[in-house]
Amino acid sequence: TQLLEQSPQFLSIQEGENLTVYCNSSSVFSSLQWYRQEPGEGPVLLVTVVTGGEVKKLKRLTFQFGDARKDSSLHITAAQPGDTGLYLCAGVYNFNKFYFGSGTKLNVKP
Amino acid sequence: NAGVTQTPKFQVLKTGQSMTLQCAQDMNHNSMYWYRQDPGMGLRLIYYSASEGTTDKGEVPNGYNVSRLNKREFSLRLESAAPSQTSVYFCASRIQGRSEAFFGQGTRLTVV
C-alpha cells in the first residue's frame, strides 16, 4: 500500500470532456505537489499547494488542497489530447520525506 | 545544464548478481531520493538522503543499500538481485521543504 491513494487509476475520455482526479491520504502533509509524467521520462512538476483549502489554476487545470491538508484534487476542463499522460500527486512529510501517489493514467482521445 | 544524471539507462542482471545504480546532480541540492516505479504503482520511495552524510529508509528499503558519497552523488546498491526488483528506478533531488523535485531519466532494470 502507498501513503497516498489516487483515483481513478485509469481514465479514458473524449476530447472536450471534463475530469477530476483525486489524491487521498490519512496523513497530514506540509505541502502537496502534482506532477505529470510522459513515457520514458521522469515526472515534471505542475503545481505545489501549501495552505489547507488552497486553490490554484494553471490554464485549464485547477488544483485544490483539502482543508485538513490530507487530500487534493486535480480538475481538467475541456481535456485535450495533449493532456494525455500519467498524473502523480506527491506529499511532503516532515519537510524531507517525499511520497508519491499511485498515479492516474489519463488518455484523451481526439 | 545536466540536472540529475543517472547511469546506466538500461541493465539486465541475473538473479543473485549485484550492481550499483549511480546518480549525480549539479544543482547544489541538499536532498536526494531513490524511487522505483512499477506498472500501476506510481513511485515508491526506497531511500532518501536529507543532506550529505545522512540516509533514511523509505517505503520499500528491503534488498537495497544506499551511499551519499558527497553532496552531488547518491548511489543505490542491489547486493543480490531478485526478479521482484525488476523495475524502473528514478533518482530525484530537491533543495528541501516545499521545493520541486527534479528527476533523472530513469534506469530500466530487468532481473532474470
Side-chain angles (χ1 to χ4, degrees), chain A residues 1-3 9 31 33 35 37 40-43 45 48 50 86 88 92 95-103, chain B residues 31 33 35 37 40-45 48 50 57-59 90 94 96-101 103-105 108:
Chain A
T1 58
Q2 293 188 246
L3 268 179
Q9 192 174 359
S31 64
Q33 299 180 335
Y35 288 77
Q37 186 180 19
E41 303 286 333
L45 180 70
T48 300
V50 176
L86 179 67
L88 296 155
V92 181
F95 287 98
N96 285 312
K97 286 190 176 182
F98 194 62
Y99 293 103
F100 278 82
S102 43
Chain B
S31 302
Y33 303 82
Y35 294 91
Q37 186 171 34
M41 294 294 290
L43 282 88
R44 290 185 291 171
L45 180 63
Y48 70 101
K57 295 178 181 179
E59 300 169 86
F90 284 99
R94 51 197 287 269
Q96 256 182 9
R98 301 163 183 168
S99 67
E100 173 181 3
F103 285 82
Q105 294 280 76
R108 188 173 293 274

Side-chain angles (χ1 to χ4, degrees), chain A residues 42-110:
Chain A
V44 175
L45 180 70
L46 293 172
V47 78
T48 300
V49 286
V50 176
T51 307
E54 182 176 2
V55 177
K56 279 194 175 178
K57 292 194 175 185
L58 188 67
K59 296 182 182 177
R60 294 175 293 100
L61 278 60
T62 303
F63 305 86
Q64 185 161 7
F65 202 12
D67 291 340
R69 305 209 320 274
K70 293 183 179 182
D71 55 85
S72 181
S73 63
L74 157 60
H75 182 78
I76 301 179
T77 303
Q80 298 176 1
D83 295 327
T84 292
L86 179 67
Y87 290 82
L88 296 155
C89 63
V92 181
Y93 181 65
N94 281 352
F95 287 98
N96 285 312
K97 286 190 176 182
F98 194 62
Y99 293 103
F100 278 82
S102 43
T104 295
K105 194 167 186 178
L106 172 65
N107 180 36
V108 182
K109 295 174 282 189

Side-chain angles (χ1 to χ4, degrees), chain B residues 23-41:
Chain B
C23 175
Q25 52 93 8
D26 60 4
M27 296 174 283
N28 203 35
H29 286 170
N30 298 318
S31 302
M32 296 186 75
Y33 303 82
W34 276 106
Y35 294 91
R36 61 177 288 173
Q37 186 171 34
D38 303 302
M41 294 294 290

